[in-house]
Short mmCIF file of all heavy atoms in Angstrom, two decimals:
data_model
loop_
_atom_site.label_atom_id
_atom_site.label_comp_id
_atom_site.label_asym_id
_atom_site.label_seq_id
_atom_site.Cartn_x
_atom_site.Cartn_y
_atom_site.Cartn_z
N MET A 1 -106.20 -5.49 8.75
CA MET A 1 -105.50 -4.81 7.64
C MET A 1 -105.41 -3.38 7.81
O MET A 1 -106.47 -2.77 8.15
CB MET A 1 -106.26 -5.24 6.29
CG MET A 1 -105.51 -4.78 5.06
SD MET A 1 -104.01 -5.84 4.85
CE MET A 1 -103.91 -5.86 3.10
N PRO A 2 -104.24 -2.73 7.57
CA PRO A 2 -104.18 -1.31 7.64
C PRO A 2 -105.02 -0.58 6.73
O PRO A 2 -105.49 -1.03 5.70
CB PRO A 2 -102.68 -1.00 7.40
CG PRO A 2 -102.00 -2.27 7.43
CD PRO A 2 -103.05 -3.36 7.17
N ALA A 3 -105.38 0.69 7.11
CA ALA A 3 -106.33 1.50 6.36
C ALA A 3 -105.64 1.93 4.97
O ALA A 3 -106.34 2.23 4.08
CB ALA A 3 -106.75 2.74 7.13
N GLY A 4 -104.32 1.98 4.89
CA GLY A 4 -103.66 2.38 3.72
C GLY A 4 -103.24 3.82 3.66
O GLY A 4 -102.86 4.27 2.59
N GLY A 5 -103.27 4.48 4.73
CA GLY A 5 -102.80 5.90 4.73
C GLY A 5 -101.33 5.96 5.04
O GLY A 5 -100.70 4.98 5.35
N LYS A 6 -100.73 7.18 4.93
CA LYS A 6 -99.37 7.33 5.27
C LYS A 6 -99.05 6.90 6.70
O LYS A 6 -99.81 7.19 7.65
CB LYS A 6 -98.98 8.78 5.08
CG LYS A 6 -98.99 9.31 3.68
CD LYS A 6 -98.56 10.76 3.59
CE LYS A 6 -98.58 11.23 2.21
NZ LYS A 6 -98.21 12.61 2.07
N GLY A 7 -97.98 6.10 6.76
CA GLY A 7 -97.60 5.59 8.11
C GLY A 7 -98.25 4.27 8.61
O GLY A 7 -97.93 3.74 9.58
N ASP A 8 -99.22 3.81 7.76
CA ASP A 8 -99.94 2.61 8.10
C ASP A 8 -99.23 1.36 7.73
O ASP A 8 -99.37 0.28 8.39
CB ASP A 8 -101.36 2.60 7.48
CG ASP A 8 -102.30 3.55 8.13
OD1 ASP A 8 -102.04 3.94 9.28
OD2 ASP A 8 -103.34 3.87 7.56
N GLU A 9 -98.48 1.37 6.68
CA GLU A 9 -97.86 0.14 6.03
C GLU A 9 -96.56 0.51 5.34
O GLU A 9 -96.56 1.41 4.50
CB GLU A 9 -98.85 -0.49 5.11
CG GLU A 9 -98.31 -1.82 4.56
CD GLU A 9 -99.16 -2.39 3.55
OE1 GLU A 9 -100.34 -2.05 3.37
OE2 GLU A 9 -98.66 -3.32 2.73
N PRO A 10 -95.44 -0.09 5.83
CA PRO A 10 -94.14 0.32 5.23
C PRO A 10 -94.19 0.16 3.66
O PRO A 10 -93.61 1.05 2.94
CB PRO A 10 -93.21 -0.71 5.78
CG PRO A 10 -93.87 -1.19 7.10
CD PRO A 10 -95.29 -1.14 6.85
N TYR A 11 -94.77 -0.85 3.10
CA TYR A 11 -94.75 -1.06 1.69
C TYR A 11 -95.36 0.16 0.96
O TYR A 11 -94.86 0.76 0.05
CB TYR A 11 -95.47 -2.35 1.23
CG TYR A 11 -95.59 -2.40 -0.28
CD1 TYR A 11 -94.55 -2.94 -0.98
CD2 TYR A 11 -96.78 -2.15 -0.87
CE1 TYR A 11 -94.64 -3.07 -2.38
CE2 TYR A 11 -96.87 -2.18 -2.31
CZ TYR A 11 -95.82 -2.66 -2.99
OH TYR A 11 -95.92 -2.75 -4.42
N LEU A 12 -96.55 0.50 1.40
CA LEU A 12 -97.22 1.72 0.84
C LEU A 12 -96.49 3.00 1.03
O LEU A 12 -96.47 3.87 0.12
CB LEU A 12 -98.68 1.88 1.41
CG LEU A 12 -99.68 0.81 0.97
CD1 LEU A 12 -101.01 1.01 1.67
CD2 LEU A 12 -99.80 0.74 -0.54
N ASP A 13 -95.84 3.15 2.19
CA ASP A 13 -95.08 4.28 2.50
C ASP A 13 -93.97 4.46 1.41
O ASP A 13 -93.65 5.52 0.94
CB ASP A 13 -94.56 4.30 3.89
CG ASP A 13 -95.63 4.52 4.97
OD1 ASP A 13 -96.70 4.96 4.59
OD2 ASP A 13 -95.30 4.24 6.08
N ILE A 14 -93.30 3.31 1.19
CA ILE A 14 -92.17 3.28 0.27
C ILE A 14 -92.60 3.41 -1.14
O ILE A 14 -92.03 4.30 -1.96
CB ILE A 14 -91.34 2.01 0.48
CG1 ILE A 14 -90.70 1.94 1.85
CG2 ILE A 14 -90.27 1.86 -0.60
CD1 ILE A 14 -90.21 0.60 2.21
N VAL A 15 -93.57 2.62 -1.59
CA VAL A 15 -93.88 2.58 -3.07
C VAL A 15 -94.90 3.66 -3.42
O VAL A 15 -94.64 4.37 -4.41
CB VAL A 15 -94.42 1.23 -3.38
CG1 VAL A 15 -94.90 1.14 -4.87
CG2 VAL A 15 -93.34 0.14 -3.14
N ALA A 16 -95.91 3.87 -2.71
CA ALA A 16 -96.96 4.90 -3.08
C ALA A 16 -96.65 6.26 -2.66
O ALA A 16 -96.81 7.17 -3.46
CB ALA A 16 -98.32 4.36 -2.54
N TYR A 17 -96.21 6.39 -1.41
CA TYR A 17 -95.98 7.76 -0.88
C TYR A 17 -94.56 8.26 -0.97
O TYR A 17 -94.33 9.34 -0.60
CB TYR A 17 -96.48 7.73 0.57
CG TYR A 17 -97.94 7.38 0.72
CD1 TYR A 17 -98.29 6.30 1.47
CD2 TYR A 17 -98.96 8.10 0.07
CE1 TYR A 17 -99.63 5.88 1.58
CE2 TYR A 17 -100.25 7.75 0.25
CZ TYR A 17 -100.62 6.65 0.93
OH TYR A 17 -101.89 6.25 1.00
N LYS A 18 -93.68 7.40 -1.36
CA LYS A 18 -92.25 7.72 -1.55
C LYS A 18 -91.61 8.29 -0.25
O LYS A 18 -90.82 9.16 -0.25
CB LYS A 18 -92.09 8.81 -2.67
CG LYS A 18 -92.69 8.43 -4.00
CD LYS A 18 -91.94 7.31 -4.69
CE LYS A 18 -92.44 7.16 -6.11
NZ LYS A 18 -93.14 6.03 -6.40
N ILE A 19 -92.03 7.71 0.89
CA ILE A 19 -91.46 8.08 2.22
C ILE A 19 -90.28 7.16 2.44
O ILE A 19 -90.47 5.91 2.29
CB ILE A 19 -92.50 7.93 3.28
CG1 ILE A 19 -93.65 8.94 3.05
CG2 ILE A 19 -91.87 8.20 4.67
CD1 ILE A 19 -94.89 8.72 3.92
N ARG A 20 -89.16 7.62 2.96
CA ARG A 20 -88.05 6.73 3.28
C ARG A 20 -88.36 6.06 4.61
O ARG A 20 -88.70 6.70 5.62
CB ARG A 20 -86.78 7.56 3.42
CG ARG A 20 -85.60 6.61 3.81
CD ARG A 20 -84.30 7.27 3.94
NE ARG A 20 -83.91 7.81 2.65
CZ ARG A 20 -82.81 8.55 2.51
NH1 ARG A 20 -82.16 8.96 3.51
NH2 ARG A 20 -82.49 9.05 1.33
N ILE A 21 -88.29 4.77 4.53
CA ILE A 21 -88.58 3.92 5.73
C ILE A 21 -87.33 3.27 6.24
O ILE A 21 -87.02 3.29 7.38
CB ILE A 21 -89.63 2.87 5.40
CG1 ILE A 21 -90.96 3.57 4.91
CG2 ILE A 21 -89.85 1.89 6.62
CD1 ILE A 21 -91.61 4.39 5.96
N PHE A 22 -86.57 2.59 5.34
CA PHE A 22 -85.39 1.95 5.81
C PHE A 22 -84.11 2.77 5.50
O PHE A 22 -83.61 3.47 6.27
CB PHE A 22 -85.34 0.51 5.17
CG PHE A 22 -86.53 -0.33 5.64
CD1 PHE A 22 -87.53 -0.64 4.63
CD2 PHE A 22 -86.75 -0.73 6.88
CE1 PHE A 22 -88.63 -1.42 5.02
CE2 PHE A 22 -87.81 -1.44 7.29
CZ PHE A 22 -88.82 -1.79 6.34
N SER A 23 -83.66 2.66 4.26
CA SER A 23 -82.58 3.44 3.75
C SER A 23 -82.92 3.76 2.28
O SER A 23 -83.79 3.17 1.71
CB SER A 23 -81.21 2.75 3.92
OG SER A 23 -81.09 1.64 2.94
N GLU A 24 -82.21 4.71 1.80
CA GLU A 24 -82.48 5.07 0.37
C GLU A 24 -82.28 3.84 -0.56
O GLU A 24 -83.06 3.50 -1.42
CB GLU A 24 -81.61 6.18 -0.09
CG GLU A 24 -81.87 6.68 -1.47
CD GLU A 24 -81.07 7.81 -1.91
OE1 GLU A 24 -80.28 8.36 -1.08
OE2 GLU A 24 -81.21 8.31 -3.06
N LYS A 25 -81.18 3.15 -0.33
CA LYS A 25 -80.80 1.94 -1.17
C LYS A 25 -81.86 0.81 -1.00
O LYS A 25 -82.31 0.27 -1.95
CB LYS A 25 -79.43 1.43 -0.78
CG LYS A 25 -78.92 0.45 -1.75
CD LYS A 25 -77.43 0.11 -1.41
CE LYS A 25 -76.84 -0.88 -2.33
NZ LYS A 25 -75.39 -1.09 -2.14
N ALA A 26 -82.25 0.57 0.27
CA ALA A 26 -83.23 -0.47 0.52
C ALA A 26 -84.57 -0.15 -0.04
O ALA A 26 -85.23 -0.93 -0.69
CB ALA A 26 -83.30 -0.70 2.06
N ASP A 27 -85.06 1.06 0.14
CA ASP A 27 -86.30 1.57 -0.37
C ASP A 27 -86.36 1.49 -1.95
O ASP A 27 -87.31 1.07 -2.51
CB ASP A 27 -86.65 2.94 0.17
CG ASP A 27 -86.97 2.99 1.62
OD1 ASP A 27 -87.05 1.90 2.27
OD2 ASP A 27 -87.10 4.09 2.13
N ASP A 28 -85.30 1.88 -2.55
CA ASP A 28 -85.21 1.80 -3.96
C ASP A 28 -85.28 0.30 -4.50
O ASP A 28 -85.98 0.13 -5.48
CB ASP A 28 -83.91 2.45 -4.53
CG ASP A 28 -83.83 3.93 -4.41
OD1 ASP A 28 -84.95 4.57 -4.28
OD2 ASP A 28 -82.75 4.52 -4.58
N LEU A 29 -84.61 -0.49 -3.72
CA LEU A 29 -84.62 -1.98 -4.18
C LEU A 29 -86.06 -2.49 -3.96
O LEU A 29 -86.56 -3.25 -4.79
CB LEU A 29 -83.62 -2.68 -3.26
CG LEU A 29 -83.55 -4.21 -3.62
CD1 LEU A 29 -83.19 -4.47 -5.01
CD2 LEU A 29 -82.49 -4.87 -2.64
N ILE A 30 -86.74 -2.10 -2.96
CA ILE A 30 -88.14 -2.57 -2.68
C ILE A 30 -88.97 -2.06 -3.86
O ILE A 30 -89.81 -2.87 -4.38
CB ILE A 30 -88.62 -2.03 -1.32
CG1 ILE A 30 -87.91 -2.82 -0.17
CG2 ILE A 30 -90.17 -2.15 -1.23
CD1 ILE A 30 -88.09 -2.23 1.21
N ARG A 31 -88.84 -0.87 -4.28
CA ARG A 31 -89.65 -0.36 -5.39
C ARG A 31 -89.35 -1.21 -6.67
O ARG A 31 -90.28 -1.53 -7.44
CB ARG A 31 -89.38 1.07 -5.66
CG ARG A 31 -89.93 1.97 -4.65
CD ARG A 31 -89.72 3.50 -4.99
NE ARG A 31 -89.85 4.31 -3.83
CZ ARG A 31 -88.84 4.75 -3.05
NH1 ARG A 31 -87.55 4.50 -3.40
NH2 ARG A 31 -89.06 5.44 -1.98
N GLU A 32 -88.08 -1.52 -6.90
CA GLU A 32 -87.73 -2.28 -8.12
C GLU A 32 -88.28 -3.69 -8.13
O GLU A 32 -88.82 -4.08 -9.08
CB GLU A 32 -86.20 -2.29 -8.25
CG GLU A 32 -85.60 -0.94 -8.61
CD GLU A 32 -84.08 -0.99 -8.71
OE1 GLU A 32 -83.54 -2.02 -9.06
OE2 GLU A 32 -83.45 0.04 -8.43
N VAL A 33 -88.09 -4.41 -7.03
CA VAL A 33 -88.52 -5.78 -7.01
C VAL A 33 -89.97 -5.95 -6.91
O VAL A 33 -90.57 -6.93 -7.44
CB VAL A 33 -87.85 -6.62 -5.86
CG1 VAL A 33 -86.35 -6.66 -6.00
CG2 VAL A 33 -88.25 -6.13 -4.49
N SER A 34 -90.71 -4.91 -6.40
CA SER A 34 -92.12 -5.02 -6.29
C SER A 34 -92.75 -5.08 -7.71
O SER A 34 -93.83 -5.64 -7.84
CB SER A 34 -92.71 -3.89 -5.49
OG SER A 34 -92.55 -2.69 -6.20
N ILE A 35 -92.11 -4.48 -8.65
CA ILE A 35 -92.62 -4.49 -10.05
C ILE A 35 -92.60 -5.89 -10.65
O ILE A 35 -93.48 -6.26 -11.47
CB ILE A 35 -91.85 -3.49 -10.92
CG1 ILE A 35 -92.01 -2.13 -10.45
CG2 ILE A 35 -92.24 -3.64 -12.36
CD1 ILE A 35 -91.03 -1.11 -11.02
N LEU A 36 -91.70 -6.73 -10.20
CA LEU A 36 -91.47 -8.03 -10.79
C LEU A 36 -92.28 -9.11 -10.06
O LEU A 36 -92.28 -10.24 -10.61
CB LEU A 36 -89.93 -8.35 -10.63
CG LEU A 36 -89.00 -7.38 -11.35
CD1 LEU A 36 -87.58 -7.77 -10.98
CD2 LEU A 36 -89.19 -7.32 -12.81
N MET A 37 -92.95 -8.78 -9.00
CA MET A 37 -93.65 -9.84 -8.15
C MET A 37 -95.02 -10.12 -8.74
O MET A 37 -95.68 -9.27 -9.18
CB MET A 37 -93.67 -9.46 -6.73
CG MET A 37 -92.48 -9.41 -6.07
SD MET A 37 -92.67 -8.88 -4.33
CE MET A 37 -90.98 -8.72 -3.84
N THR A 38 -95.51 -11.36 -8.52
CA THR A 38 -96.84 -11.68 -8.76
C THR A 38 -97.66 -11.16 -7.57
O THR A 38 -97.19 -10.66 -6.59
CB THR A 38 -97.06 -13.24 -8.81
OG1 THR A 38 -96.76 -13.77 -7.51
CG2 THR A 38 -96.21 -13.84 -9.83
N SER A 39 -99.06 -11.15 -7.74
CA SER A 39 -99.81 -10.59 -6.66
C SER A 39 -99.69 -11.41 -5.41
O SER A 39 -99.72 -10.78 -4.23
CB SER A 39 -101.29 -10.57 -7.09
OG SER A 39 -101.78 -11.86 -7.45
N LEU A 40 -99.57 -12.77 -5.49
CA LEU A 40 -99.32 -13.49 -4.25
C LEU A 40 -97.98 -13.23 -3.60
O LEU A 40 -97.92 -13.16 -2.35
CB LEU A 40 -99.44 -14.98 -4.57
CG LEU A 40 -100.85 -15.54 -4.98
CD1 LEU A 40 -100.78 -16.96 -5.39
CD2 LEU A 40 -101.84 -15.27 -3.86
N GLU A 41 -97.01 -13.08 -4.39
CA GLU A 41 -95.67 -12.77 -3.82
C GLU A 41 -95.64 -11.38 -3.17
O GLU A 41 -95.09 -11.20 -2.10
CB GLU A 41 -94.61 -12.78 -4.93
CG GLU A 41 -94.28 -14.16 -5.49
CD GLU A 41 -93.45 -14.18 -6.80
OE1 GLU A 41 -93.52 -13.14 -7.54
OE2 GLU A 41 -92.66 -15.15 -6.96
N LEU A 42 -96.38 -10.50 -3.89
CA LEU A 42 -96.45 -9.10 -3.29
C LEU A 42 -97.16 -9.09 -1.96
O LEU A 42 -96.82 -8.37 -1.12
CB LEU A 42 -97.07 -8.24 -4.30
CG LEU A 42 -97.10 -6.76 -4.08
CD1 LEU A 42 -95.70 -6.27 -3.87
CD2 LEU A 42 -97.66 -5.93 -5.19
N ARG A 43 -98.24 -9.86 -1.81
CA ARG A 43 -98.96 -9.92 -0.59
C ARG A 43 -98.10 -10.42 0.53
O ARG A 43 -97.99 -9.83 1.57
CB ARG A 43 -100.21 -10.82 -0.74
CG ARG A 43 -101.07 -10.94 0.53
CD ARG A 43 -101.94 -12.11 0.52
NE ARG A 43 -101.11 -13.34 0.61
CZ ARG A 43 -101.50 -14.57 0.23
NH1 ARG A 43 -102.68 -14.74 -0.25
NH2 ARG A 43 -100.69 -15.61 0.40
N ASP A 44 -97.31 -11.47 0.28
CA ASP A 44 -96.36 -12.03 1.27
C ASP A 44 -95.33 -11.05 1.60
O ASP A 44 -94.95 -10.94 2.76
CB ASP A 44 -95.84 -13.42 0.72
CG ASP A 44 -96.86 -14.50 0.67
OD1 ASP A 44 -97.95 -14.37 1.26
OD2 ASP A 44 -96.57 -15.45 0.00
N PHE A 45 -94.79 -10.38 0.55
CA PHE A 45 -93.71 -9.43 0.78
C PHE A 45 -94.17 -8.29 1.67
O PHE A 45 -93.46 -7.82 2.53
CB PHE A 45 -93.30 -8.93 -0.61
CG PHE A 45 -92.09 -7.99 -0.58
CD1 PHE A 45 -90.89 -8.42 -0.09
CD2 PHE A 45 -92.25 -6.68 -1.04
CE1 PHE A 45 -89.83 -7.53 -0.05
CE2 PHE A 45 -91.20 -5.87 -1.00
CZ PHE A 45 -89.98 -6.23 -0.56
N ARG A 46 -95.41 -7.85 1.41
CA ARG A 46 -95.99 -6.65 2.17
C ARG A 46 -96.15 -7.16 3.64
O ARG A 46 -95.85 -6.31 4.58
CB ARG A 46 -97.26 -6.20 1.69
CG ARG A 46 -97.19 -5.50 0.32
CD ARG A 46 -98.45 -5.22 -0.34
NE ARG A 46 -99.21 -4.22 0.41
CZ ARG A 46 -100.33 -3.55 -0.10
NH1 ARG A 46 -100.65 -3.84 -1.26
NH2 ARG A 46 -100.89 -2.70 0.63
N GLU A 47 -96.54 -8.31 3.88
CA GLU A 47 -96.67 -8.84 5.28
C GLU A 47 -95.31 -8.87 5.95
O GLU A 47 -95.19 -8.53 7.09
CB GLU A 47 -97.32 -10.21 5.21
CG GLU A 47 -98.83 -10.18 4.94
CD GLU A 47 -99.41 -11.52 4.81
OE1 GLU A 47 -98.73 -12.58 5.15
OE2 GLU A 47 -100.54 -11.66 4.35
N GLU A 48 -94.32 -9.35 5.22
CA GLU A 48 -93.00 -9.49 5.80
C GLU A 48 -92.36 -8.09 6.12
O GLU A 48 -91.76 -7.84 7.16
CB GLU A 48 -92.04 -10.20 4.83
CG GLU A 48 -92.31 -11.69 4.78
CD GLU A 48 -92.11 -12.42 6.07
OE1 GLU A 48 -91.21 -12.06 6.82
OE2 GLU A 48 -92.93 -13.30 6.40
N LEU A 49 -92.59 -7.08 5.19
CA LEU A 49 -92.19 -5.78 5.48
C LEU A 49 -92.77 -5.19 6.77
O LEU A 49 -92.10 -4.44 7.54
CB LEU A 49 -92.46 -4.86 4.33
CG LEU A 49 -91.45 -4.89 3.12
CD1 LEU A 49 -91.90 -3.98 2.03
CD2 LEU A 49 -90.02 -4.61 3.53
N SER A 50 -94.01 -5.49 6.96
CA SER A 50 -94.75 -4.99 8.15
C SER A 50 -94.24 -5.60 9.40
O SER A 50 -94.35 -4.98 10.48
CB SER A 50 -96.24 -5.33 8.00
OG SER A 50 -96.82 -4.56 6.97
N ARG A 51 -93.61 -6.72 9.35
CA ARG A 51 -93.03 -7.35 10.54
C ARG A 51 -91.61 -6.87 10.89
O ARG A 51 -91.12 -7.10 12.06
CB ARG A 51 -92.88 -8.92 10.26
CG ARG A 51 -94.22 -9.60 10.27
CD ARG A 51 -94.10 -11.09 10.21
NE ARG A 51 -95.35 -11.73 10.04
CZ ARG A 51 -95.74 -12.38 8.91
NH1 ARG A 51 -94.83 -12.52 7.93
NH2 ARG A 51 -96.94 -12.86 8.88
N ILE A 52 -90.94 -6.18 9.95
CA ILE A 52 -89.56 -5.72 10.23
C ILE A 52 -89.62 -4.54 11.10
O ILE A 52 -90.35 -3.60 10.86
CB ILE A 52 -88.92 -5.43 8.85
CG1 ILE A 52 -88.70 -6.60 8.05
CG2 ILE A 52 -87.55 -4.69 9.14
CD1 ILE A 52 -88.11 -6.37 6.65
N GLN A 53 -88.79 -4.51 12.12
CA GLN A 53 -88.74 -3.38 13.07
C GLN A 53 -88.00 -2.22 12.32
O GLN A 53 -86.94 -2.42 11.70
CB GLN A 53 -87.92 -3.76 14.31
CG GLN A 53 -88.63 -4.50 15.29
CD GLN A 53 -89.56 -3.59 16.05
OE1 GLN A 53 -89.63 -2.35 15.97
NE2 GLN A 53 -90.52 -4.17 16.78
N ARG A 54 -88.55 -1.12 12.27
CA ARG A 54 -87.98 0.08 11.73
C ARG A 54 -87.00 0.61 12.80
O ARG A 54 -87.29 0.84 13.95
CB ARG A 54 -88.92 1.25 11.41
CG ARG A 54 -89.92 0.75 10.32
CD ARG A 54 -90.77 1.83 9.96
NE ARG A 54 -92.17 1.25 9.79
CZ ARG A 54 -93.20 1.96 9.43
NH1 ARG A 54 -93.07 3.26 9.27
NH2 ARG A 54 -94.37 1.44 9.27
N THR A 55 -85.73 0.95 12.30
CA THR A 55 -84.72 1.53 13.20
C THR A 55 -84.27 2.89 12.70
O THR A 55 -84.34 3.16 11.58
CB THR A 55 -83.53 0.66 13.43
OG1 THR A 55 -83.00 0.30 12.10
CG2 THR A 55 -83.95 -0.74 14.03
#
């Protein structure tokens, strides 16, 4: 599990640190949907985001 600092995990970079990772639109959507997720859904979502290649 990542330490949770800037650059360690895309989800935290987007939601907690407000760093652009994908695109402005995608990052905004990630912030919006993360509010609606249960803790289990959020865990799975964070894992999936970590698997996506950043371009």
Side-chain angles (χ1 to χ4, degrees):
M1 187 70 151
K6 290 181 180 178
D8 287 342
E9 182 185 344
Y11 175 81
L12 291 177
D13 290 343
I14 295 166
V15 176
Y17 301 117
K18 308 290 193 249
I19 299 170
R20 181 179 294 172
I21 299 300
F22 301 111
S23 69
E24 183 177 357
K25 190 173 182 175
D27 291 353
D28 287 345
L29 183 58
I30 288 168
R31 287 184 199 98
E32 288 178 32
V33 299
S34 68
I35 295 168
L36 304 172
M37 294 182 185
T38 66
S39 59
L40 292 176
E41 292 169 330
L42 191 54
R43 183 198 66 201
D44 292 342
F45 184 63
R46 288 173 71 167
E47 289 176 10
E48 289 298 321
L49 280 178
S50 293
R51 290 186 186 116
I52 296 173
Q53 280 286 347
R54 297 183 220 183
T55 57

